[in-house]
Every structure is written in C-alpha cells, then in structure tokens.
Amino acid sequence: MTPTGTPETPNRTEASGAPEVPGTGIGTGTGARSWLREHSEIGVGLLLLVLGVLVLTDALTMDVDIAQRGPVGPRTVPIVVGIGLLVVAVLLTLDVLRGGRGEAEGGEDIDLAEPSDWRTVLLLAGVFLGNAVLIGPLGFPISGALLFWGSAYALGSRHHHRDPLIAAGLSLVTYFVFNNLLGVPLPGGPLMGVL
C-alpha cells in the first residue's frame, strides 16, 4: 500500500508490460541488456557446451572396429575431451551466475596503440599453406623442415645457419615418432626409401 492508501502495483516496462524484477534490472530493455553485458562469459560457456556436444556426437557415431585397435580405441580421447568440455561449460556458467568474473588483462606488456603485425601473420599463414601443398610431393621430412624453419623465420629468428639444421632435426624426429613409434603413417616423399 502506498501512503495514499492505494494498492501498490509492480513497475512494468513500457514495451512489454512485464513486471520488473526488483534489484536485478531484468524486465527492462536496458536492464536485460546490462545483465547480459555483465554476464557475457555465459556465451563462452554456451560455446564450450556446443563444442562438447559436437565432439561427443562425432566420437560416438565414429565407425571403428574396436577388436582391431585394442582396449583403448580412437573413441577414447574424443569422449574424454567432449566430457571435459561439457564439465567446464557447466562449471563456468555456474560460476558466472554466482557472480564470478574474469579478470581484466593487465599483466601483459602490450601497447594497445600499436597496429597489428600483419607481416608475421601473413608469413605464418604462407608457411602453413606451403606445408599443406608440399607435404604430398616432398613428404613430411622435407615439408616439415620447411614448416619449422619458416615458422621460426616468421617469428623473428635470424640464425640462418642454425635454424635450418634444427628444423631438419625436428622434422626427422617428428617423422620417426609418428611413423615408427605411434604407427601414424606420414608421407615420406623421395626420402621414403632412405628413412
């Protein structure tokens, strides 16, 4: 009751006529927008939830013969990752709804006034595209060495004598680990008979 003796009516929004929830701002057009802006991390939780469902759906519909793969088959890791994504999505959403907020980035030594380094981005994109084109005809040992050396060059390393040797070593070790130890065949290219 108001001081004049008339019954008190809840505040209603002008557009929808829905009562405003006191203290939350929900029910008003600007209040709902403000609430969504303050809880924007829920969008990340939703994205993780969708990714988790996609990974689990893909893993569970995968057509594999487990008897040939042993007790741990190709479904195991995607199922674990999918469940992990769902758990993180739920925990993040609950934390945000309880008032948790991510901290603003303040510890990095970045000058936001500086423009983006598009040269590095384009060089890296070119190196990855070149690897995708060259892996078939040249094989992984050669294209991988070019990938590792090109990535180091794009990121600023200028040791022209040392970098190619390290890249070749990394490429050969990666090829050996995947091809011989893990049983994941990588194209050998012209070096197939040598390796």
Side-chain angles (χ1 to χ4, degrees):
M1 298 281 269
T2 62
T4 61
T6 59
E8 187 175 343
T9 58
N11 294 337
R12 297 190 177 274
T13 60
E14 295 174 10
S16 66
E20 179 181 339
V21 179
T24 63
I26 297 177
T28 64
T30 58
R33 243 183 258 132
S34 173
W35 187 89
L36 287 174
R37 198 173 294 124
E38 290 174 7
H39 297 86
S40 61
E41 291 95 343
I42 291 177
V44 176
L46 181 63
L47 176 67
L48 292 174
L49 180 74
V50 169
L51 284 174
V53 169
L54 286 173
V55 168
L56 280 175
T57 302
D58 192 40
L60 294 174
T61 58
M62 189 183 299
D63 186 27
V64 294
D65 185 11
I66 290 295
Q68 294 178 353
R69 305 280 185 191
V72 178
R75 289 183 181 171
T76 306
V77 172
I79 288 174
V80 170
V81 170
I83 291 172
L85 286 168
L86 294 179
V87 169
V88 170
V90 169
L91 292 176
L92 176 65
T93 303
L94 289 175
D95 182 54
V96 171
L97 291 175
R98 290 180 180 160
R101 295 191 52 88
E103 293 183 24
E105 294 188 32
E108 294 187 23
D109 188 20
I110 297 174
D111 186 6
L112 297 176
E114 287 292 318
S116 299
D117 187 7
W118 288 107
R119 179 182 180 274
T120 301
V121 172
L122 293 174
L123 279 173
L124 282 173
V127 165
F128 281 99
L129 182 62
N131 181 55
V133 170
L134 296 175
I135 195 168
L138 296 182
F140 184 81
I142 296 173
S143 70
L146 293 173
L147 170 71
F148 294 135
W149 176 76
S151 298
Y153 181 85
L155 293 172
S157 179
R158 297 298 182 260
H159 298 279
H160 300 295
H161 299 293
R162 183 183 67 187
D163 290 347
L165 296 175
I166 293 173
L170 277 174
S171 181
L172 289 173
V173 167
T174 304
Y175 178 80
F176 176 76
V177 167
F178 275 88
N179 203 49
N180 297 346
L181 297 180
L182 297 177
V184 178
L186 294 175
L191 298 177
M192 183 67 93
V194 178
L195 301 174

